[in-house]
Amino acid sequence: MAKVYVVYWSQTGNTEAMAEAIGEGITAAGKEAAVLPVADASLDDLKAADAFALGCPAMGAEVLEEDEMDPFVTEVEAFASGKTIALFGSYGWGDGQWMRDWEDRMKDAGATVLNDEGLIINETPDDDGLEDCKALGKQLAGL
């Protein structure tokens, strides 16, 4: 069974909770989920995958986390063409600009962003938000 990768960075646990729920959706759809913090993720695994998910909360002035996640995303851009990527993350302020910028980066690299936009949740995901994450996982698993 092919694994569906969900790679994330989380500071407070909100984006991690989203990643775990996406993984539950992948499993519910009959695929194997590999939910990994970015520090444990393999670029080679993502290169071999047709579709995967990337998650990061909004940081600072609505940017990706700069020490681990942004450099990883830069590496992904080099092989993103032809891939389908689900983007997700939590935020505590602003209006989602970090996600719109991330969507544009992936599209400019030739990737298809699943649903044409990332899934964002304000602060801690509630039950509805976790259900949205599970639905995203099921959708990703069906590709």
Side-chain angles (χ1 to χ4, degrees):
M1 179 185 300
K3 288 182 184 177
V4 180
Y5 291 91
V6 180
V7 177
Y8 69 92
W9 187 92
S10 187
Q11 182 173 22
T12 64
N14 295 339
T15 300
E16 180 178 13
M18 293 177 73
E20 293 294 340
I22 292 168
E24 289 174 28
I26 292 166
T27 302
K31 296 277 179 86
E32 182 180 354
V35 180
L36 303 165
V38 68
D40 297 336
S42 162
L43 287 165
D44 288 336
D45 288 338
L46 299 187
K47 285 178 187 175
D50 293 329
F52 51 87
L54 298 174
C56 185
M59 301 295 291
E62 287 208 71
V63 296
L64 296 176
E65 188 277 330
E66 295 174 310
D67 292 329
E68 290 182 80
M69 195 66 187
D70 190 64
F72 189 85
V73 169
T74 298
E75 295 280 344
V76 169
E77 284 176 289
F79 62 84
S81 184
K83 307 282 186 190
T84 298
I85 304 173
L87 301 176
F88 66 96
S90 64
Y91 68 103
W93 61 89
D95 67 354
Q97 187 61 48
W98 104 100
M99 185 58 73
R100 290 190 295 278
D101 292 343
W102 196 5
E103 293 160 5
D104 289 345
R105 280 179 74 177
M106 295 296 92
K107 291 173 186 176
D108 289 348
T112 298
V113 174
L114 190 60
N115 299 320
D116 207 38
E117 65 181 0
L119 174 61
I120 61 174
I121 294 177
N122 185 253
E123 302 292 349
T124 303
D126 60 12
D127 289 343
D128 289 341
L130 292 174
E131 287 304 316
D132 290 344
C133 292
K134 289 176 187 176
L136 184 67
K138 289 177 185 174
Q139 186 182 8
L140 187 61
L143 299 177

